[in-house]
Amino acid sequence: MSTAPVVATESGTAFSRRGFFMKLGILFNALAGLVLAVPIVRFLFSSVTRGRRSGYLSWVPLGAVSDFPEGETRLATFRNPYVMPTDGKTVDTVCWVRRIQGDQFQVFAVNCAHLGCPVRWFPQSGLFMCPCHGGAYYRDGSRASGPPERGLFEYPYKVENGFVNIQAGELPTPGAPMAAIATEKPPCA
């Protein structure tokens, strides 16, 4: 039976080679655990800290009022204010903008209220159509037919300095905090 070499230190305590490698292994395991724990903890607490970031819900411009002729519905693109470094092209979000008259607008999310498929505008028929399950919406965003139980979701908007701005940062849904803000805009015909 072999014994591990014992080395004496200045303080007079002895430690073995096996003990040294055991402590070194524990140190490396602790470092690896810390490296793995940091992203997991950040993920778990992200929902708590996300709302405090500036720009989570903020007003973003869609374009000048003159870019949207009266009585027409046009596709507009905006940059989502809640951006992560890994988002890439997905931060560019689209919406449908309908100018009723003057400074009265309706800004619809491009997602169907049924399962979120992107809807398309067909000016010939005056309908938004969902290609996934056949949902249809009238020009004012109300439900026309198909499986959706409600109309299209709308973004709150305001007109400032000749520009149409919407409050963005999350998809508008019935339970979202933005749904309460949507009632502040002028009534649409």
Side-chain angles (χ1 to χ4, degrees):
M1 186 160 151
S2 68
T3 58
V6 177
V7 179
T9 62
E10 293 177 8
S11 64
T13 60
F15 69 93
S16 67
R17 188 170 145 196
R18 176 180 287 163
F20 170 74
F21 282 117
M22 182 70 124
K23 289 180 183 178
L24 189 63
I26 291 171
L27 176 69
F28 283 136
N29 284 330
L31 285 174
L34 184 65
V35 167
L36 293 173
V38 168
I40 292 170
V41 169
R42 285 184 62 193
F43 171 75
L44 292 175
F45 288 108
S46 67
S47 62
V48 175
T49 59
R50 185 182 319 151
R52 294 186 203 153
R53 293 183 187 168
S54 63
Y56 181 60
L57 286 177
S58 60
W59 293 95
V60 294
L62 290 180
V65 172
S66 59
D67 293 343
F68 305 103
E70 284 191 21
E72 287 189 27
T73 301
R74 294 220 170 145
L75 192 65
T77 304
F78 64 93
R79 187 168 179 84
N80 191 333
Y82 182 57
V83 178
M84 301 296 282
T86 56
D87 286 344
K89 198 75 172 135
T90 62
V91 298
D92 295 330
T93 308
V94 294
C95 61
W96 291 104
V97 181
R98 175 178 173 241
R99 184 173 181 186
I100 300 166
Q101 65 180 358
D103 284 348
Q104 285 186 318
F105 289 86
Q106 282 185 298
V107 183
F108 303 110
V110 74
N111 307 89
C112 177
H114 178 228
L115 291 178
C117 293
V119 297
R120 290 191 53 207
W121 169 247
F122 291 91
Q124 306 85 352
S125 60
L127 293 173
F128 291 99
M129 301 289 291
C130 177
C132 295
H133 302 107
Y137 304 89
Y138 294 115
R139 71 179 67 246
D140 66 353
S142 61
R143 179 187 177 273
S145 68
E149 295 181 5
R150 64 172 317 279
L152 290 173
F153 297 113
E154 290 187 49
Y155 286 101
Y157 78 92
K158 65 182 177 181
V159 177
E160 283 186 337
N161 302 324
F163 282 90
V164 179
N165 299 286
I166 63 167
Q167 190 173 33
E170 64 181 24
L171 285 176
T173 59
M178 292 186 344
I181 299 169
T183 59
E184 296 176 9
K185 66 182 186 326
C188 299

